Every structure is written in C-alpha cells, then in structure tokens.
Amino acid sequence: DIITIDSSSEEEDEVSIDDADENILESVAEGRPRRKRAAGDRPSIDAVRIAVGKKVFKRKCELSVQPGTNNPYILFSYFDEKGKSFKHYVYLKEEELKELRYFIARDDENEDSLKDDSVEPMTVIAFRITPTEKNNFSNYSNAYDQEDTENAENYKKRFISVEVRDTDEFQAMLVQMRQHPALDVWCSEHSEISFDDLAKYTHALQEENRKERDMRQSIANRTRSGGKGNKKKKDSENKLLLVYPF
C-alpha cells in the first residue's frame, strides 16, 4: 500500500508554522498562484506532489537546483499535514544522484492513456538518489530503498518522483539545467521517459490517483443511489390515497 505522509519525527531540521500560515498551505494545495521569485533565485518549480518511494507529500512541494556554485545541489522541499517543513539537499559532487528521468505530458498522450486508464499522463521528474544521513532520505527506509533487487515490491520504493504543476515552467527549468555541466549529463533528451514506462517511475503517484478516482466514484454512486431513494419517497407521498366506502 502507498504510505501517505506520516508526520512522526522522521526528519531533521523541521520548522513548525503557525495557524496564520495555514491559508498559505491551503492555497498551494488548491493550485492557486504562488509568489513570483526574484531574479537571481535558484531555478525552482512548484510541484503538485513529491513521492519519496511509496511515501507521498502534497503540501507546498517544490524542487529547486543550484548548479552555479562550487558545490552544486538539488533541493527537495515540502510541508507535511501538520505544517512542518522538510528539506533534502542532494550535493552533486558527492555522487548521491544515480539516475534522473523526466516525462513531459503532451496532448497526444491522452490517446495512449485511453488504452490504459490505470496510468495518467503527468509532467514528472524522477530521481534515484542514494539515501544518506546528510540528505535525510535515509529516514524513509520503510518507504524508499535503493537496494538492487528484482523484488517487485522493493522496486516500487526506488524512485523519488516530483509531479510538476506547470509544464512550461518545467521545460524552462530544463533549459537552465542543461546550461551547466554538472546537470546537463543527467537531463538530455535521452533521459525522457516513454509513456509505456511512465508507471514504473510514478508508481506511488499513480496509486494515489487511483484511490482518488475510486473515492470520487464511490461518492457519485452514493449520490445517485440517494437521489433514486428520495425520488421514490416523494412519488409515494404524492400518490392519492383512495378510500372506498363499505
């Protein structure tokens, strides 16, 4: 089963936010525009969700890169449901990054998705990163694992997948990443995922989508069922009661 965010003390450097920030979190969760970043900020993209193996985070998710330094890094950040902030720095010189793949959702993918409705097209960038105490991914050992094995269950734990909110923003970020040797080798056109392989890199996100679809369908079924029941009740109330004299 997919593990949704568990706010137990699994991370270091947690920062609590007060109730006043709750509106900000809700705004982000609902897809409203976030603040514009000042010129000179490290390239970053707003994310819908970040899946660390089988563990899915949904609040204030962001992916950013800082390639133009002596020690370039990738930063994953998000909030849990209790309003705590989590950050993971992955330094490229320390060879923690093992694989980077991406998929850009296009209109023609909708035709493919009709053939296999278990896979939803989404713009996503997926990573294989060695979990360490320094990048804090080692704290998710139950959900995220880089052990080389043919076990299908362990394979579901292998990727960190970032679902991108704005495809155009992501493509602009790719252009910036390709301008730096430390990242260019990882994000060439050869790193693009085919639709047939998308499920492999987005297992946790696809499973979350399936649960949401099932929930919506269940609510719709109950609504339709309730509507029919109410109609029958009203029809019975509107029937004339005929009393014959004896």
Side-chain angles (χ1 to χ4, degrees), residues 64-76 89-100 127-129 134-135 177 180-187:
S64 54
V65 296
Q66 184 56 277
T69 66
N70 291 330
N71 196 11
Y73 62 83
I74 301 170
L75 172 60
F76 302 81
Y89 289 87
V90 177
Y91 292 93
L92 300 178
K93 286 186 176 181
E94 296 182 16
E95 300 184 351
E96 296 171 351
L97 179 62
K98 300 302 180 184
E99 184 178 0
L100 185 157
F127 304 83
R128 285 187 64 190
I129 294 168
K134 188 172 182 179
N135 63 35
M177 292 169 68
H180 298 273
L183 288 168
D184 179 51
V185 65
W186 294 105
C187 52

Side-chain angles (χ1 to χ4, degrees), residues 7-246:
S7 56
S8 57
S9 56
E10 296 184 20
E11 289 283 319
E12 298 177 354
D13 300 326
E14 297 180 355
V15 180
S16 296
I17 61 174
D18 57 27
D19 293 337
D21 290 325
E22 194 64 21
N23 291 334
I24 297 175
L25 293 178
E26 292 299 330
S27 172
V28 173
E30 294 171 9
R32 298 172 195 164
R34 300 178 62 185
R35 68 173 180 85
K36 291 186 177 181
R37 301 175 181 90
D41 281 1
R42 59 176 175 259
S44 58
I45 51 173
D46 182 20
V48 181
R49 296 173 295 182
I50 294 178
V52 182
K54 296 174 68 177
K55 197 178 188 76
V56 180
F57 297 88
K58 303 177 182 179
R59 286 196 165 197
K60 205 174 183 180
C61 301
E62 186 176 84
L63 173 72
S64 54
V65 296
Q66 184 56 277
T69 66
N70 291 330
N71 196 11
Y73 62 83
I74 301 170
L75 172 60
F76 302 81
S77 59
Y78 47 83
F79 282 74
D80 70 9
E81 288 184 343
K82 291 189 175 180
K84 291 182 179 180
S85 172
F86 297 81
K87 296 181 184 295
H88 303 269
Y89 289 87
V90 177
Y91 292 93
L92 300 178
K93 286 186 176 181
E94 296 182 16
E95 300 184 351
E96 296 171 351
L97 179 62
K98 300 302 180 184
E99 184 178 0
L100 185 157
R101 303 293 298 275
Y102 65 88
F103 180 86
I104 298 175
R106 300 180 176 89
D107 291 339
D108 55 355
E109 259 88 44
N110 291 329
E111 297 179 4
D112 292 326
S113 66
L114 291 176
K115 303 173 186 175
D116 182 4
D117 59 5
S118 66
V119 180
E120 291 188 21
M122 61 178 72
T123 297
V124 67
I125 181 167
F127 304 83
R128 285 187 64 190
I129 294 168
T130 301
T132 66
E133 292 184 3
K134 188 172 182 179
N135 63 35
N136 284 332
F137 284 125
S138 60
N139 292 327
Y140 296 116
S141 57
N142 290 332
Y144 179 64
D145 188 3
Q146 287 301 297
E147 181 182 356
D148 287 326
T149 176
E150 297 300 322
N151 184 288
E153 189 63 27
N154 280 358
Y155 198 85
K156 297 174 183 177
K157 302 178 180 181
R158 188 161 291 183
F159 296 98
I160 298 170
S161 305
V162 180
E163 181 183 1
V164 176
R165 192 179 301 280
D166 187 313
T167 297
D168 291 337
E169 187 180 53
F170 174 65
Q171 289 179 301
M173 184 179 182
L174 272 180
V175 171
Q176 291 178 288
M177 292 169 68
R178 289 169 179 165
Q179 293 173 354
H180 298 273
L183 288 168
D184 179 51
V185 65
W186 294 105
C187 52
S188 68
E189 293 181 358
H190 299 292
S191 299
E192 189 165 1
I193 304 168
S194 68
F195 181 81
D196 291 339
D197 289 334
L198 183 60
K200 167 182 168 182
Y201 292 93
T202 60
H203 171 77
L205 301 177
Q206 298 291 346
E207 184 64 13
E208 284 280 303
N209 287 347
R210 183 191 64 77
K211 290 180 179 179
E212 291 173 3
R213 287 197 305 270
D214 290 348
M215 183 178 295
R216 288 194 299 267
Q217 186 61 49
S218 176
I219 293 173
N221 290 341
R222 288 200 302 269
T223 301
R224 286 195 294 269
S225 176
K228 291 178 181 177
N230 291 336
K231 185 177 185 300
K232 288 180 180 179
K233 184 178 179 181
K234 289 180 180 180
D235 288 344
S236 65
E237 291 174 350
N238 291 334
K239 287 181 179 178
L240 293 176
L241 180 61
L242 301 179
V243 179
Y244 293 92
F246 295 96

